[in-house]
Amino acid sequence: MRADARSLGIMTRCQGSHFVDKGYYKKLTLYGRKHGIRVFVFSPRQVNFSSRTVKGFEYRNGSWQANVFPLPALIYDRCFVGPAYRHYKPFVEKLQNDRNITFLGRGLSGKWQVHQMLSKSPLLSSYLPPTEILSFATVQDMLQKHGAVVIKPMAGTHGIGVVRIKETKSGYEATGRNRENRPFRRQIRDTAGLKTFVASFTSGRKFLVQPYLKLHTPDGTPFDVRVLVQKNGQGEWETTGKAVRLGDKRSITSNLHGGGKAEPLSAFLARHFKPAVHSRIDQTINQLAQELPRFLEDCHGRLVELGIDVGIDTAGNVWVIEVNSRPGRTVFRLIDDPVAKRHSITQPVRYAHYLMKERVGGY
């Protein structure tokens, strides 16, 4: 049995009929149906490679209904990388190697791999914070040079496990979010205590260390800019939207999962930066949105969309903080941007339609 040429499978981690982002997938399904594309959700662990079928769920008549589907011609990979991903990875790789199946895009490996790829670009590398794989020696070295550092999990999401460590008169202070995404602040007396804290906090996971950048407003509210770029119906990169995410003052990150808020970019920049600086920041972000997806795709392979997280420090310098190949869309609903909200949902289906036409040489 060949792959179903007019179907798009959304690959995600399912526990029975439980999976995240049901609202988003419902909208994808309804939009796909209008264009003659059958959209369904499945777990890579439910694929039967012998019969080339998969157990999954399709939104019909107001609810998600279980069914067995032929393997889809196109797969939209929404399997978020994390500790549980190792249980899915062998099945994902087998699907990726199937010559009858096309992935809209292949997920990025992790923060360190992305940093190494972007470092190869003379333009993009100038916007990357100095980054090293964490060891206690690298933490000490950066603390000596910069006075404060940030440690973050290589495969972390939502700001979980991101910690600022800074020198104080009485030793060190660690501020951030723990593994349960709760904000914390801890005073550490000396270097031995710091070594114990770092070893305990990072135990079992790989971390990166970077200089701490002052990515906050004058009143200490952390913020970053989410730029969503996606392939459109012509297979070309397009900027869907830009928005500012503001975090809790008790935190050092601005992720919405940590209790953050959102607002439109232009109004935010106008409030906090002088017109000339505002204009320069705008131009830089637009340049990054144009250059980064193409360069990263050349290094990595096909991508369908990227969430580019941009930091702006108190001096108005722009930094590429993180790039996510499975971005969320909540921020555009929160800032009430109906065009960005609509495009964020419809672009993957438009791109899938473009790829279907490419595969069969037009209808």
Side-chain angles (χ1 to χ4, degrees):
M1 184 188 290
R2 290 183 62 82
D4 186 349
R6 296 287 291 171
S7 65
L8 172 63
I10 302 170
M11 184 174 68
T12 189
R13 297 193 333 222
C14 305
Q15 296 293 331
S17 62
H18 299 288
F19 49 91
V20 298
D21 290 337
K22 281 188 175 180
Y24 172 44
Y25 300 153
K26 171 187 169 182
K27 290 168 185 171
L28 278 177
T29 302
L30 297 176
Y31 187 75
R33 199 168 289 156
K34 287 180 183 177
H35 294 269
I37 300 171
R38 189 181 192 184
V39 180
F40 62 90
V41 177
F42 74 98
S43 163
R45 297 186 68 176
Q46 292 296 317
V47 174
N48 184 324
F49 289 96
S50 299
S51 63
R52 297 191 63 77
T53 59
V54 60
K55 294 177 183 177
F57 301 90
E58 185 175 25
Y59 190 82
R60 284 198 172 277
N61 302 319
S63 66
W64 288 98
Q65 299 179 13
N67 204 344
V68 177
F69 305 89
L71 282 180
L74 295 172
I75 288 178
Y76 181 26
D77 182 0
R78 296 287 293 176
C79 272
F80 294 94
V81 176
Y85 187 69
R86 67 183 185 277
H87 301 302
Y88 295 80
K89 189 176 180 181
F91 306 99
V92 173
E93 289 178 345
K94 194 165 183 179
L95 288 166
Q96 287 175 333
N97 292 326
D98 191 311
R99 59 188 179 87
N100 292 315
I101 294 173
T102 299
F103 276 58
L104 299 191
R106 298 204 174 193
L108 294 170
S109 303
K111 295 183 180 73
W112 178 242
Q113 290 82 0
V114 171
H115 183 272
Q116 287 180 304
M117 286 185 272
L118 296 181
S119 296
K120 296 173 185 174
S121 162
L123 170 70
L124 299 172
S125 62
S126 63
Y127 297 104
L128 299 176
T131 303
E132 300 287 347
I133 293 174
L134 184 142
S135 68
F136 191 62
T138 57
V139 171
Q140 284 185 300
D141 185 49
M142 281 202 188
L143 276 171
Q144 281 186 338
K145 288 179 182 175
H146 304 284
V149 301
V150 166
I151 64 172
K152 56 176 70 172
M154 280 194 194
T157 57
H158 307 322
I160 298 170
V162 178
V163 177
R164 178 188 65 202
I165 299 169
K166 69 176 183 179
E167 294 179 335
T168 64
K169 291 178 181 178
S170 57
Y172 303 93
E173 181 186 84
T175 308
R177 290 187 173 272
N178 62 19
R179 295 190 187 205
E180 289 73 45
N181 204 17
R182 295 194 187 99
F184 74 90
R185 179 167 295 173
R186 184 174 301 174
Q187 303 298 327
I188 300 167
R189 191 174 299 174
D190 52 25
T191 303
L194 180 62
K195 187 173 185 179
T196 299
F197 168 78
V198 170
S200 171
F201 191 84
T202 63
S203 177
R205 294 190 295 174
K206 294 180 180 178
F207 273 67
L208 299 176
V209 57
Q210 298 173 329
Y212 171 68
L213 304 172
K214 295 179 180 178
L215 308 177
H216 56 74
T217 62
D219 72 352
T221 302
F223 75 92
D224 68 6
V225 181
R226 164 54 63 93
V227 183
L228 179 62
V229 291
Q230 297 175 292
K231 294 274 189 70
N232 61 21
Q234 289 76 48
E236 298 165 347
W237 285 105
E238 204 172 272
T239 299
T240 295
K242 295 174 281 190
V244 175
R245 302 182 298 187
L246 297 121
D248 187 321
K249 286 183 185 179
R250 296 173 300 162
S251 178
I252 62 163
T253 59
S254 52
N255 202 284
L256 300 178
H257 289 258
K261 299 176 181 177
E263 64 174 89
L265 174 62
S266 188
F268 177 86
L269 292 178
R271 197 163 69 249
H272 291 288
F273 296 96
K274 292 178 180 179
V277 180
H278 177 173
S279 177
R280 175 173 57 76
I281 292 170
D282 254 340
Q283 289 175 5
T284 302
I285 290 174
N286 289 338
Q287 185 181 31
L288 289 172
Q290 282 191 322
E291 297 292 333
L292 190 150
R294 295 182 181 89
F295 184 85
L296 198 52
E297 194 168 43
D298 285 345
C299 295
H300 168 79
R302 179 184 284 147
L303 294 160
V304 56
E305 59 190 352
L306 293 170
I308 306 170
D309 294 340
V310 173
I312 305 167
D313 66 25
T314 50
N317 300 309
V318 174
W319 302 92
V320 176
I321 302 302
E322 194 170 324
V323 184
N324 191 332
S325 56
R326 300 175 181 91
R329 288 147 174 79
T330 308
V331 67
F332 302 112
R333 175 174 55 79
L334 293 178
I335 67 169
D336 194 26
D337 185 337
V339 174
K341 181 184 170 186
R342 185 173 66 252
H343 280 196
S344 73
I345 293 163
T346 57
Q347 291 286 46
V349 175
R350 289 176 181 157
Y351 181 53
H353 190 248
Y354 161 80
L355 289 177
M356 287 175 183
K357 288 189 290 185
E358 290 287 298
R359 281 170 70 101
V360 299
Y363 298 125

